[in-house]
Amino acid sequence: MFAGCFAPQTQESIEVAPAPVARAVRTSLVPAVPPQEAMAALKEGNGRYISGTSQVVREALADQRKQFVANGQKPMAAVFGCADSRAPIYTIFYAYPGDLFILRNAGNTCSRAEGSMVGSLEYAISALDTKLILVLGHTKCGAVAGATKTMMAQKDLNAPPKLEKGQSPLEILLAGLVPVAKKAKAQLADGATEEQVINKAIQVNVFNTMSGLFSYSSKVREMVTSGECRCRAASTISRRARWSSWASTRDRKSTRLNSSHQLHL
């Protein structure tokens, strides 16, 4: 249907990168990847990405496509990230088709029981046997920055978020993130700058999203509590925007919020 948009290519005109090392195609026929191995694979892929040694592999994937059609999928991780175009999840983890079950919205937020996000994660960890949920934030997040600016412009910081008739979906989304900005400001010293509050809010938002998942989904809560899957937090960091190490991560028995990770963008 898009054939008219591209000039015809011959076999000779297509650039083909060297074939990668053989790897298993993640269909439903392969075993589930343990969460520790999945997290290690994501960090290792991110390391290749930031070292500059990775490259986009352009090869014939006909056989893999046939396997996916015939045998389904079994992603090693479900990643709940931001829709920001500067944070390409497949790219920063050097991932292949079938590796990751990706969910994205502006601000990687779960401020309401949204069926599209919560339900999709339930599908990944139950029907697809995915053992790791990774909630992924990133520096310079526009949604969190917008919510922080809204919060700091309020005269009464203790006033609850306003959901008024006629508000746009964007206004509703930002209102849902305002409590995150308030929590971040409360954790900083008096006189913190707007930029400092935004950076802290990006961190707080990741854990707020994790808490939302546990609150809204009994399936996620039960499977993480039992140890059947794990839920971890991470953030991508631009090379010009460095964060200090995150504070010790919550590790409650009821939710098992495991160690947080810093990745690079």
Side-chain angles (χ1 to χ4, degrees), residues 1-7:
M1 121 180 182
F2 298 109
C5 299
F6 303 95

Side-chain angles (χ1 to χ4, degrees), residues 2-15 58:
F2 298 109
C5 299
F6 303 95
Q9 292 181 308
T10 64
Q11 183 64 37
E12 291 74 22
S13 68
I14 300 175
E15 179 185 353
R58 302 178 63 184

